[in-house]
Structure formats: structure tokens, C-alpha cells
Amino acid sequence: MAPLRIATDLRDEECGISPPEDSPTAKKPLRADSSRIPLTRWEAAVAATVFLIFSVGLFCIFLTMPEADYDKILRLPRNLSDLRILKDNLAVYARDYQAKFILGYCSIYIFMQTFMIPGTIFLSLLAGALFGVVKGVILVVLSATSGASSCYFLSKLIGRPLVSWMWPEKLRFFQAEIAKRKEKLLNYMLFLRITPSLPNTFINLASPIVDIPFRIFFLATLVGLVPASYITVRAGLALGDLKSVRDLYDMKTLVVLFLIGFVSIFPTILKRKRTYE
């Protein structure tokens, strides 16, 4: 949905701001160039190399795992029906080879987070269905934090042109908000992680570009992902009753997340009030 909203916003902006095409000052859009990813050959080579290293490492991990019906378990679920089938196929395997299964699970989760591959919400539900709430939340939070950290460093290396190309307005807004909250940056990052104010993918990619220190990024991610992870993992316990992924974040759940988020930024609000007084 995010790319669709961004595309709509860009179209609206062009319709509302751009001068008429017959105006001598009008800038005609370069459609051919705008469709290309603005990475240099070196940056593209770095991204491809990192992707290859991750892929080879992931493949080696699966080679060391016990033999099984790989056609049944080596599948990424794309909907709840796929997830229920995968859970039934993995239940015995995860119980008998728990350590190796967890290693493979974490590797896939980190890989998907690093390269912004959609579908990690299904892995979070799967963790709840297979391991329960406590172990599932720990597994999801550690995997998500590791993947987000990996994405942070990859973006720090080659992400600036890509983020500026995909989300120019959102990046400028984010940079301005970060500049205003330098003293209480951790509180603001916690708020963003707890609430769905900004997509996590955007936060992972944009944080190094707007000079958010890694220690703040890491701590805010580790702590801030706990509430949403708990909600998702707990829903995995009743996977058979879940009708849609959208049911995970109904209005009541969103209100709770925003309340928790406001608690995290309350010290900042209180400090501003005392300053004005």
C-alpha cells in the first residue's frame, strides 16, 4: 500500500504545482530517467555482492539441516492459508530439530529484513504458532532487530540515492523532525517504532542518511518492536481463527500502540512545557 500512496501523492503534487506544459518555464518530466534506480555501478555491485553472500550463507545453513520433505517446508507463506499449511508441516520438524530450525528461521527473517522482502509478518505469526508467546516474542524481536541493523548498515553504504529517489518528500520531513529532536532522539525513535507513524522499512533505510547514531537506532528498535511483536506472535496462537492479517491491527490495537508511544515521548513534552514556563 505504501508505494501506491507515494505514487498517488507524487501525481497529486505534479498536478497541483507544476506549470502548464506550454509554459516556457515548465520542466518536462524525464520519464525514462525517473524509472531507473539511481545507483552507480559500484553501488549496484556492492548490493549484489551482499545479497549473494547472504544467499550463499542461507543455502549453506539449509545444507547442514536434517533431511526432510523440503518441498513442503521450504516455502515462504504469502497468505494465511499458506501459513496454516506450513505450520502443520513444520510442527514435528521444529520440535525434533529445534536448534537448527531456529537458526534457519532467524536467517530467513534477517535476510528478508535486510533486503526489504515483504512477508515477515507471516514469520512472526509462525513463531507464535510454533513456540508460544514468550519464546516467539524473543525470537521475533531479536531477528527483526538484527535484520533492521543489517539494513541500516547496507543503507549507510549505498542507500542515499535509493531513498532520495523513492521517498524524497518523506525523507525531507524525517530529516527535519530528527533535527528538531536531537536532545531526545531516543524517545522520538521509540515512538516511531512503537506506533505505525512511519513504515519500518523506511526507518531502517533512512536512519543512517539523517545521521541517527546506530546505538540509538538499535536500542529504539530492540525495545520499540516489542509491543507490535507481542500482538502478532500472540495472534499466531489462534492462527485457525484469524481471518485476515488486517485483523491484527484493528482500531483498539492502534489506540493501545499510540498510547504506549505517547508514554515514550512524554518526557520530551514535559521538558518543553517547563522550558516555556
Side-chain angles (χ1 to χ4, degrees):
M1 294 296 293
L4 179 58
R5 289 198 299 269
I6 293 168
T8 304
D9 292 341
L10 289 176
R11 286 198 300 269
D12 292 343
E13 181 180 349
E14 289 174 0
C15 293
I17 296 178
S18 300
E21 292 184 359
D22 56 352
S23 172
T25 59
K27 294 182 179 180
K28 296 183 180 180
L30 300 176
R31 299 187 183 278
D33 293 338
S34 62
S35 63
R36 297 173 57 187
I37 298 178
L39 294 179
T40 65
R41 291 183 179 180
W42 181 85
E43 290 167 338
V46 170
T49 301
V50 174
F51 184 86
L52 182 62
I53 291 173
F54 267 86
S55 301
V56 172
L58 197 60
F59 180 71
C60 292
I61 288 174
F62 281 111
L63 286 180
T64 62
M65 297 179 74
E67 293 184 3
D69 297 327
Y70 289 118
D71 60 326
K72 294 182 179 180
I73 66 174
L74 295 184
R75 292 182 178 181
L76 287 178
R78 293 302 176 187
N79 52 58
L80 290 177
S81 298
D82 290 347
L83 186 62
R84 293 186 186 101
I85 295 173
L86 183 62
K87 182 254 180 181
D88 293 337
N89 292 335
L90 282 174
V92 176
Y93 187 86
R95 184 192 64 207
D96 294 342
Y97 307 101
Q98 189 172 104
K100 292 185 176 181
F101 175 80
I102 289 176
L103 177 62
Y105 174 93
C106 292
S107 300
I108 294 175
Y109 205 116
I110 293 170
F111 180 84
M112 294 176 68
Q113 282 280 86
T114 300
F115 296 101
M116 302 161 289
I117 301 173
T120 52
I121 189 170
F122 294 115
L123 293 183
S124 299
L125 287 167
L126 184 64
L130 294 176
F131 299 111
V133 174
V134 177
K135 189 181 291 186
V137 168
I138 294 173
L139 198 61
V140 169
V141 170
L142 292 180
S143 299
T145 303
S146 300
S149 300
S150 181
C151 186
Y152 174 98
F153 286 115
L154 184 62
S155 179
K156 189 171 185 177
L157 186 63
I158 63 169
R160 183 177 294 274
L162 190 61
V163 177
S164 299
W165 173 66
M166 293 177 65
W167 302 293
E169 295 297 331
K170 189 176 291 186
L171 181 61
R172 283 193 286 270
F173 167 79
F174 189 43
Q175 195 162 24
E177 292 298 309
I178 294 299
K180 292 188 295 185
R181 295 171 170 83
K182 285 292 184 182
E183 294 183 0
K184 293 290 183 180
L185 190 55
L186 178 59
N187 299 83
Y188 180 61
M189 288 298 294
L190 278 171
F191 175 80
L192 293 181
R193 283 303 196 187
I194 294 171
T195 65
S197 303
L198 286 174
N200 280 325
T201 298
F202 172 77
I203 297 173
N204 296 342
L205 288 170
S207 291
I209 297 173
V210 298
D211 298 324
I212 295 175
F214 177 70
R215 65 183 183 278
I216 292 179
F217 174 87
F218 179 83
L219 186 58
T221 303
L222 184 66
V223 177
L225 290 181
V226 171
S229 298
Y230 172 80
I231 292 171
T232 309
V233 170
R234 191 171 182 273
L237 295 176
L239 195 58
D241 299 330
L242 194 63
K243 297 179 181 179
S244 171
V245 174
R246 295 180 180 179
D247 296 341
L248 292 173
Y249 297 99
D250 54 12
M251 185 57 64
K252 182 180 178 181
T253 302
L254 291 176
V255 169
V256 171
L257 289 177
F258 271 100
L259 285 175
I260 298 173
F262 280 122
V263 170
S264 69
I265 62 171
F266 182 74
T268 305
I269 299 173
L270 188 62
K271 183 179 179 180
R272 285 186 179 182
K273 183 178 179 181
R274 288 177 179 176
T275 301
Y276 290 138
E277 291 176 352

